[in-house]
Amino acid sequence: KFLRKEAKHFSIKRLTMKIAALLLTVGSAVAFTGPKASSVKTSISATKDEILSSPNTIEFGKIWDPLGLSELGSDETIAWFRHSEVKHGRVCMAAFVGWWAVAAGSHFPGQLSYGVDFESLPTKGLEAWDAVPGWGKAQMLIFAGLIEFHDELFASTRGTHYMRGGTPGKNHVPGLYDPLGFANGKSDEAKARGRDVEIKNGRLAMIGMAGLYCASVIPGSVPLQPDC
């Protein structure tokens, strides 16, 4: 009876493994299957050269692209790269300011969560993040994911997607970017200059955040950087 029970258990286990292997095989096949070609011809408003011409390259005298990433794909690929660059720059500008504010001892009033005062948070960036309760971290990550999801959704349904003729980096989530409408009365030239300034500041912020993170996890890795 014991042997029959073990044999039955082994048979079920083997069947489960076979089903899992089959699902993995099907999943792998789907993952490596290219998307179906659309019958609708699409184009973007700016070509690769036009996208790369902004902002100016006065710092290096030419486009700084040592890895040749700008040659990897089509105009749509470059539009996606630029959109990602603008978004990552915005996140890093906000993160750099937040890191600096915490290091300077600035805190919001009240409680971060039940029993955790803002004032109790450490003044070092990663230590402050570690002090946030797990559900608090989850809420921030889910909120960021919802913003990203709805930005792509609204770009496709309420506007023109940046890979289909829209402006790379344009926010489509209502009330998230420029809620007071400072850019409404500006000319096209002023808006274009503002986008260039934003991209350059975002690039500096990405470098700055990389430096802060490295200095935090690898002491002495960033020259002249105080403990943060």
Side-chain angles (χ1 to χ4, degrees):
K1 184 182 295 186
F2 174 76
L3 292 177
R4 286 200 302 270
K5 184 177 180 181
E6 287 296 315
K8 183 179 180 180
H9 176 73
F10 180 71
S11 177
I12 294 175
K13 186 176 180 180
R14 287 186 61 187
L15 178 61
T16 304
M17 293 177 65
K18 288 181 179 180
I19 294 174
L22 178 61
L23 292 175
L24 286 174
T25 302
V26 173
S28 300
V30 173
F32 284 98
T33 301
K36 293 182 179 180
S38 174
S39 59
V40 180
K41 185 176 180 181
T42 59
S43 61
I44 63 174
S45 59
T47 64
K48 177 169 65 175
D49 292 336
E50 290 172 337
I51 293 174
L52 293 177
S53 66
S54 175
N56 62 57
T57 57
I58 190 172
E59 295 86 359
F60 296 100
K62 62 178 181 179
I63 296 175
W64 191 73
D65 184 22
L67 299 180
L69 298 179
S70 61
E71 305 299 328
L72 290 181
S74 61
D75 293 346
E76 288 80 3
T77 304
I78 299 302
W80 186 86
F81 282 162
R82 173 51 55 85
H83 190 76
S84 299
E85 179 185 30
V86 172
K87 280 193 171 183
H88 283 87
R90 289 170 179 167
V91 170
C92 284
M93 283 188 283
F96 190 92
V97 172
W99 195 305
W100 169 84
V102 171
S106 300
H107 297 93
F108 288 111
Q111 292 186 331
L112 172 64
S113 65
Y114 182 75
V116 180
D117 294 329
F118 279 106
E119 290 289 342
S120 67
L121 295 179
T123 57
K124 295 182 179 180
L126 294 182
E127 292 182 5
W129 171 254
D130 290 338
V132 177
W135 279 112
K137 296 175 183 176
Q139 289 176 28
M140 286 187 277
L141 295 176
I142 291 172
F143 180 68
L146 288 174
I147 291 176
E148 181 69 17
F149 172 78
H150 285 91
D151 188 50
E152 290 291 323
L153 177 65
F154 294 154
S156 301
T157 59
R158 299 184 179 181
T160 305
H161 197 272
Y162 54 89
M163 294 180 67
R164 296 294 182 268
T167 303
K170 183 178 180 180
N171 168 69
H172 292 274
V173 179
L176 180 65
Y177 185 73
D178 192 18
L180 300 179
F182 290 117
N184 292 341
K186 293 185 177 181
S187 63
D188 292 339
E189 292 77 10
K191 291 180 180 179
R193 183 184 179 279
R195 285 193 294 268
D196 289 354
V197 171
E198 181 184 33
I199 291 173
K200 289 191 174 185
N201 287 335
R203 290 171 177 174
L204 287 176
M206 286 187 278
I207 295 173
M209 279 305 301
L212 287 175
Y213 180 81
C214 290
S216 180
V217 299
I218 309 175
S221 60
V222 181
L224 306 178
Q225 173 65 47
D227 190 18
C228 60

